[in-house]
Amino acid sequence: MKVTRRQFLKVTGATAASFALVDLGFNLQATASAVKELRIKNVTPVPTVCPYCASGCGLVVYSERDAEGKFIRLLSVHGDPDNPINQGGACSKGAAMFNLREIYDEHGEQIVNPKRVQKPLYRAPGTDKWLEKDWDWMLDQIAQRVKETRDKSFIHKETIADGSEIIVNRTERIASIGGSGLDNEECYLLSKLMRALGVVYLETQARI
Ligand code: SF4
């Protein structure tokens, strides 16, 4: 068998390292299980869906929690190996999802990503300024505007080719777009709500 220089160094290096540790009296089996335990101590893996694109890859978010289960810090985000779509993989964008929430400063302290928008922002017509608003204000605005727009644009009946009238009950001034972050039940509820309002332009960026 032909052994390359690179293979030779790899094999002899690994073997020498193992012998050296055993010679020094380390119990490698115990060390391995201790490392495994340390790696998962107080760590909670939570499966989720990547929010970025239509592939809807499954990710696992690892976070450290205290004894009461309270969130302490985000540790890492990986592709979910049990997810049939991506089978543990994640593209560079999904793999960088960690930055969506928090980053570490130069001293290793965890801080909230300064680029992350954490409060609803509102830009009034005719201005380029974004104002921070609370969710109550924002949800009231959305509800009022949906009602106003629907009332103004609602089409009850339409005349068809043979001249007869049919009931259509729709609005063409509101559209709804969902994303791969929505699960089946959320999509179902969203489409029910939109259909009940008479919204006919329903879309999603997910394509799976
Ligand atoms: S990991 Fe990449 S490919 Fe998968 S859903 Fe996220 S952005 Fe899309």
Side-chain angles (χ1 to χ4, degrees):
M1 186 182 78
K2 196 172 173 227
V3 178
T4 63
R5 189 168 172 265
R6 192 183 184 87
Q7 283 169 327
F8 175 78
L9 289 173
K10 204 170 151 190
V11 171
T12 52
T15 312
S18 309
F19 280 139
L21 285 171
V22 172
D23 289 347
L24 287 171
F26 284 108
N27 177 345
L28 290 181
Q29 211 172 351
T31 310
S33 55
V35 168
K36 200 171 163 196
E37 193 195 318
L38 274 177
R39 283 182 67 185
I40 56 168
K41 204 171 184 185
N42 301 330
V43 173
T44 312
V46 177
T48 186
V49 178
C50 176
Y52 287 132
C53 92
S55 303
C57 296
L59 301 173
V60 186
V61 176
Y62 293 86
S63 56
E64 188 181 351
R65 304 201 171 237
D66 65 15
E68 277 87 49
K70 201 168 152 245
F71 175 85
I72 300 174
R73 65 188 176 125
L74 186 65
L75 296 169
S76 67
V77 182
H78 294 296
D80 183 352
D82 294 329
N83 189 294
I85 296 165
N86 53 313
Q87 299 172 5
C91 75
S92 50
K93 194 172 171 185
M97 199 179 88
F98 186 80
N99 293 314
L100 194 64
R101 184 172 165 81
E102 286 150 323
I103 53 170
Y104 290 89
D105 68 11
E106 66 276 23
H107 308 296
E109 292 292 317
Q110 196 170 33
I111 54 173
V112 172
N113 189 336
K115 291 192 178 149
R116 186 178 180 204
V117 176
Q118 297 189 72
K119 291 195 177 152
L121 295 176
Y122 172 70
R123 184 166 64 84
T127 170
D128 60 356
K129 300 267 178 307
W130 290 90
L131 302 174
E132 272 191 5
K133 296 286 183 185
D134 61 44
W135 276 110
D136 283 346
W137 186 92
M138 202 56 101
L139 292 174
D140 283 351
Q141 283 289 314
I142 293 169
Q144 278 166 20
R145 289 178 190 210
V146 166
K147 165 115 182 49
E148 206 179 289
T149 307
R150 181 179 182 269
D151 287 352
K152 275 192 199 155
S153 61
F154 200 72
I155 306 166
H156 176 49
K157 285 185 179 170
E158 199 170 64
T159 307
I160 56 172
D162 67 4
S164 61
E165 277 195 325
I166 56 164
I167 294 173
V168 290
N169 284 345
R170 70 166 186 260
T171 171
E172 296 176 1
R173 299 260 177 99
I174 303 174
S176 165
I177 184 158
S180 55
L182 297 174
D183 60 27
N184 275 352
E185 290 71 24
E186 287 163 339
C187 285
Y188 176 81
L189 287 174
L190 186 65
S191 57
K192 274 275 178 194
L193 172 66
M194 292 302 132
R195 302 259 185 241
L197 288 170
V199 174
V200 286
Y201 299 132
L202 282 121
E203 247 301 6
T204 178
Q205 53 85 214
R207 284 286 176 272
I208 40 178

